[in-house]
């Protein structure tokens, strides 16, 4: 089994986060931005202790079932971009999952290209100042402040000619 590089894991984890959300059997009590007191999907992320940079710029709306934590973020179209010129991320027009304090689980709609294959990011967990991204068989930790800026479709974090380096995790652990 080949090792996954830490930077590749961060992208992979973001993708898993966005692509592993599942639907519960109970009918959801959906909350819109206005009724939740938040005006955007990014503010919902922050209310659960996550940084805004987990989603790319352009979320057009969201739904949140406060009883189950089921979360959907909507975009006008699918989106892809590279980070540091090597990690590619893909977001579908709908990103879903379950959100609770410090945990995003069962994500769908986000994937990361690791070497030559696309992997779904399934879960993102916050542990203090680190985010752990899981693609099922592997996970990687990255500093939360790597995700303070919102990436843009097409250009990621290098839209103004300035490149922001993502700090790498010192290790990749397998699950």
């Amino acid at each position: 089994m080949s090792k996954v590089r830490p930077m590749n894991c961060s992208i992979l984890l973001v993708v898993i986060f966005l692509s592993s959300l599942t639907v519960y059997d109970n009918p959801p009590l959906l909350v819109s931005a206005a009724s939740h007191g938040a005006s955007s999907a990014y503010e919902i992320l922050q209310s659960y202790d996550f940084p805004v940079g987990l989603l790319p710029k352009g979320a057009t709306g969201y739904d949140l079932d406060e009883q189950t934590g089921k979360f959907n973020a909507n975009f006008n179209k699918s989106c892809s971009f590279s980070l540091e010129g090597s990690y590619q991320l893909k977001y579908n027009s709908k990103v879903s999952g379950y959100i609770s304090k410090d945990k995003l689980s069962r994500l769908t709609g986000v994937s990361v290209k690791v070497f030559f294959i696309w992997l779904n990011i399934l879960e993102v967990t916050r542990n203090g100042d680190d985010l752990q991204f899981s693609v099922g068989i592997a996970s990687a930790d990255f500093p939360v402040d790597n995700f303070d800026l919102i990436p843009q479709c097409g250009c990621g974090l290098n839209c103004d000619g300035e490149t922001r380096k993502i700090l790498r995790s010192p290790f990749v652990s397998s699950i």
Side-chain angles (χ1 to χ4, degrees), residues 11-146:
I11 294 174
L12 175 64
L13 293 177
V14 172
V15 172
I16 290 175
F17 165 75
L18 298 175
S19 66
S20 70
L21 298 176
T22 320
V23 177
Y24 286 115
D25 292 334
N26 298 332
L29 170 64
L30 296 178
V31 178
S32 68
S35 64
H36 189 270
S39 61
S40 71
Y42 308 101
E43 289 175 344
I44 289 294
L45 281 173
Q46 290 178 312
S47 72
Y48 285 92
D49 208 20
F50 285 102
V52 294
L54 288 179
L55 291 175
K57 185 176 183 179
T60 58
Y62 73 88
D63 295 316
L64 172 65
D65 178 337
E66 291 185 324
Q67 291 179 326
T68 65
K70 174 74 174 152
F71 177 89
N72 296 303
N74 303 301
F75 299 87
N76 284 330
K77 59 183 181 177
S78 61
C79 169
S80 64
F81 55 89
S82 293
L83 294 176
E84 289 190 24
S86 61
Y87 301 104
Q88 290 182 279
L89 290 169
K90 255 196 295 192
Y91 290 77
N92 293 343
S93 59
K94 181 178 180 180
V95 172
S96 300
Y98 289 90
I99 191 168
S100 60
K101 182 159 174 47
D102 297 330
K103 187 170 187 174
L104 292 161
S105 60
R106 294 188 263 175
L107 293 170
T108 60
V110 181
S111 57
V112 63
K113 190 172 186 179
V114 178
F115 301 111
F116 298 105
I117 60 171
W118 287 94
L119 299 172
N120 293 324
I121 295 176
L122 303 172
E123 186 172 282
V124 179
T125 305
R126 182 170 182 162
N127 185 9
D129 290 335
D130 291 320
L131 291 176
Q132 182 180 67
F133 293 84
S134 173
V135 294
I137 59 170
S139 65
D141 294 335
F142 296 90
V144 170
D145 59 3
N146 279 351

